[in-house]
Amino acid sequence: MNNKVKIAVFPVAGLGTRFLPATKSMPKEMLTVVDRPLIQYAVDEAREAGIEHFVFVTGRNKGVIEDHFDRQFELETTLFERGKTKELKELQKDLPKPGQTSFTRQQEPLGLGHAVWCARDIVGDEPFALLLPDMLIKAEPGVLSQMMGAYNENGGNIIAVEEVDKKDVSSYGVVGRGAGLDEGFIINEMIEKPDPKDAPSNLIISGRYILQPRIFDLLSSHTKGAGGEIQITDAMQALMKEQQFTGVKFKGRTFDCGSKIGFLSANVAYALDREELSEEFRKELAILL
Ligand code: G1P
């Protein structure tokens, strides 16, 4: 019987160099899509999938993320006094419950695998979800919820994947497709940022994972991979010899907010989807185009 997945890890220690100077003193995970920071979308997706504890692997200059998930009494009082009950309710809805968050720091930028390994003591001996907030995925239900079905069916480790143009695979982790299952397919290979000619497919890893805690043992060797960094993909490739990895092609649209085009497109797509903005924004866009 599988353990229920109740804990999620959010690596938020990245430097955000592609968004300088905006990210000089502000974490890239606090960049907003319409009016919500990227990290809030990832936390919402996790909560919707039944996650009860949220682990943030932060770094220097990231204190504001911790503040974001705390109460702001001054602000709440002011909203209350001004009768802004709708805004107040919204703020309270977004907040994890007391004791549901943990924060740890990755002291050096040694790679995504190392960031995940930094969460090992907090996660303990349980399966966990891993969400990369840069990959904003517009989906209903959210991608992590879609993956839970495959997890309940197959157990083991689950990875959300999607197809991209072959020329773009070198920006991502790529999986090889094995036998089909009722829910998803068996992954038979994984490679981080391959040259398109060496890629086993055009199915990329979309920044959503359900992993077994054994991954922490494999990450503890601190082996460096692509870009001289400790890669989660390499540890997963090693774990594949012991445990099943299932690929899930989810329904939804990904915005890679690690790139400017992805981030700008996300803002347009999410704004067009907001009832109170859509009509006016559509007119503005028509003028601009
Ligand atoms: C990371 C992962 C990669 C994955 C990507 C999704 O790469 O290592 O396998 O496809 O996220 O965004 P990064 O974007 O940190 O270079």
Side-chain angles (χ1 to χ4, degrees):
M1 185 62 198
N2 294 312
N3 267 342
K4 196 170 169 277
V5 184
K6 290 179 294 208
I7 190 159
V9 174
F10 304 85
V12 289
L15 297 175
T17 46
R18 273 184 279 184
F19 282 89
L20 284 169
T23 48
K24 196 173 158 198
S25 61
M26 183 185 70
K28 65 172 171 166
E29 297 78 13
M30 290 302 291
L31 291 171
T32 50
V33 171
V34 187
D35 51 11
R36 298 171 82 69
L38 278 172
I39 187 65
Q40 183 77 54
Y41 288 94
V43 164
D44 292 347
E45 181 184 328
R47 186 170 23 214
E48 182 207 54
I51 296 297
E52 294 167 11
H53 198 93
F54 308 85
V55 183
F56 301 86
V57 183
T58 72
R60 278 177 295 283
N61 292 328
K62 302 275 183 170
V64 65
I65 296 178
E66 198 162 342
D67 293 340
H68 179 77
F69 290 107
D70 195 2
R71 289 187 67 178
Q72 275 270 22
F73 286 107
E74 254 180 55
L75 175 64
E76 289 180 22
T77 308
T78 311
L79 290 175
F80 179 74
E81 282 170 1
R82 292 186 184 167
K84 295 199 175 287
T85 41
K86 188 170 155 271
E87 287 81 354
L88 192 55
K89 272 206 187 119
E90 285 289 316
L91 275 189
Q92 285 164 351
K93 181 173 70 58
D94 291 343
L95 211 58
K97 295 196 178 69
Q100 284 191 327
T101 52
S102 297
F103 296 84
T104 188
R105 278 194 183 198
Q106 185 189 27
Q107 293 157 330
E108 286 176 76
L110 297 177
L112 177 59
H114 180 261
V116 174
W117 179 76
C118 288
R120 68 199 179 283
D121 285 354
I122 303 173
V123 172
D125 196 22
E126 284 201 41
F128 63 100
L130 170 63
L131 295 94
L132 311 187
D134 273 5
M135 292 296 257
L136 176 58
I137 313 180
K138 201 162 179 296
E140 249 176 68
V143 175
L144 193 60
S145 295
Q146 296 184 36
M147 293 164 73
M148 288 297 183
Y151 181 70
N152 294 334
E153 189 73 26
N154 305 306
N157 304 270
I158 314 288
I159 299 183
V161 300
E162 67 188 289
E163 287 181 35
V164 298
D165 282 349
K166 197 76 188 250
K167 65 170 175 32
D168 295 328
V169 293
S170 55
S171 304
Y172 299 98
V174 179
V175 305
R177 194 189 171 110
L181 302 165
D182 285 348
E183 295 260 6
F185 62 90
I186 302 227
I187 294 176
N188 58 16
E189 200 183 335
M190 277 181 231
I191 174 164
E192 183 66 16
K193 304 205 169 63
D195 198 298
K197 69 175 175 5
D198 304 325
S201 74
N202 63 342
L203 287 167
I204 63 151
I205 299 172
S206 300
R208 300 291 184 276
Y209 316 70
I210 295 172
L211 295 170
Q212 297 298 321
R214 172 86 174 116
I215 196 81
F216 293 123
D217 300 329
L218 297 158
L219 285 168
S220 66
S221 70
H222 291 191
T223 314
K224 288 187 177 149
E229 296 190 343
I230 301 165
Q231 297 288 356
I232 189 81
T233 306
D234 296 342
M236 295 193 300
Q237 164 83 22
L239 183 54
M240 232 168 54
K241 297 193 183 84
E242 299 172 27
Q243 297 180 1
Q244 181 170 313
F245 276 78
T246 304
V248 171
K249 272 178 83 173
F250 56 90
K251 289 194 182 69
R253 165 77 154 93
T254 301
F255 298 95
D256 182 350
C257 292
S259 84
K260 284 180 186 139
I261 292 292
F263 177 70
L264 294 168
S265 310
N267 266 288
V268 174
Y270 278 78
L272 287 175
D273 218 32
R274 289 274 284 268
E275 214 178 309
E276 76 280 19
L277 299 174
S278 172
E279 202 184 319
E280 209 178 325
F281 187 46
R282 217 170 273 275
K283 284 186 197 147
E284 286 294 334
L285 281 179
I287 296 168
L288 290 171
L289 292 170

